[in-house]
Amino acid sequence: MSDDDGKDGARNGGDTGGAPGSGARGGAALAAVDSLTVKGRAPRTGYDRARFGSPWADTDSNGCGTRDDILKRDLDGVKFRGGDCTVVSGTLAPDPYTGKDVAFTRGRSRVDIDHVVALSDAWQKGAGGWRPGKRIALANDPLNLLAVDAGPNRGKGDGDTATWLPANKSYRCAYVARQVAVKKKYGLWVTGAERDAMRRVLSRCPQEKLPGGGSPTQAPGRFRAR
């Protein structure tokens, strides 16, 4: 789910906005589904966005906030204000969730940055018991972030694979593979219905690879969360 308002490699598997070597891909996504722990969804009790730190913290210490890092990665024709951090315009071409082009203008944006594994979903599937540094890392990990059309993204809420998939069917394999990769990387569990839905989608594309890369699973100690 978005907190507010890449290129094809980032959207379809490799990540170009994270740690060195972030374009590396793992094994088959379908096989990785069976490595995920299956448990029931825990209560949402205690969830708050602030438990994952301040939105778009510069956890990779490149001088730019995470939101602008992802806009730079995923938009075409990017224009900046006052340097190379603050993105003021560009085009999502195409939006992975709808397959349509979406214009981005800062302050009048129709583009959100989506947490592919929603933070509320993560909270209910393991993150509620983590130390703050790991939650902050998940919230700012390029592996878990995509620039997308605001409309369908806000309809997604904290849905998992069993309850929400992009309308753009050609992107569903890459989308589910990314959810699997994030949950595997961070040790988040899945429900039985979620695992079955992941298998169902990925069985149609058994060669789909896990996207790799992103950020470390612990944020630097200078960052704080409630």
Side-chain angles (χ1 to χ4, degrees), residues 6 8-9 35 38 64 68 77 84-85 95-96 100-101 110 131 137 144 172 178 192 205 212 215 218 221:
D8 289 343
S35 71
V38 178
C64 303
D68 281 304
D84 61 358
C85 271
D95 162 47
K100 301 175 182 178
D101 290 359
R110 294 168 48 213
R131 292 182 179 274
N144 192 35
R172 287 181 178 179
R178 188 170 286 264
C205 43
S215 303
Q218 290 287 335

Side-chain angles (χ1 to χ4, degrees), residues 83-104:
D84 61 358
C85 271
T86 304
V87 177
V88 296
S89 65
T91 303
L92 192 57
D95 162 47
Y97 289 176
T98 65
K100 301 175 182 178
D101 290 359
V102 181
F104 169 81

Side-chain angles (χ1 to χ4, degrees), residues 2-3 8 10 37-38 64 74 77 81 89 102 104 109 115 127 137 141 190 201 206 225:
S2 164
D3 292 295
D8 289 343
T37 298
V38 178
C64 303
D74 288 357
R81 179 179 65 221
S89 65
V102 181
F104 169 81
S109 179
H115 288 99
D141 192 333
V190 295
V201 171

Side-chain angles (χ1 to χ4, degrees), residues 69-153:
D69 282 342
I70 302 304
L71 290 171
K72 285 193 289 184
R73 185 194 72 183
D74 288 357
L75 299 182
D76 291 330
V78 172
K79 294 183 179 178
F80 300 95
R81 179 179 65 221
D84 61 358
C85 271
T86 304
V87 177
V88 296
S89 65
T91 303
L92 192 57
D95 162 47
Y97 289 176
T98 65
K100 301 175 182 178
D101 290 359
V102 181
F104 169 81
T105 302
R106 199 174 196 96
R108 302 190 303 276
S109 179
R110 294 168 48 213
V111 174
D112 279 350
I113 305 302
D114 181 34
H115 288 99
V116 178
V117 173
L119 301 185
S120 174
D121 180 66
W123 179 266
Q124 297 170 77
K125 295 171 181 173
W130 294 350
R131 292 182 179 274
K134 189 173 182 180
R135 291 197 295 267
I136 295 167
L138 174 68
N140 293 281
D141 192 333
L143 182 65
N144 192 35
L145 298 171
L146 284 176
V148 299
D149 186 303
N153 179 55

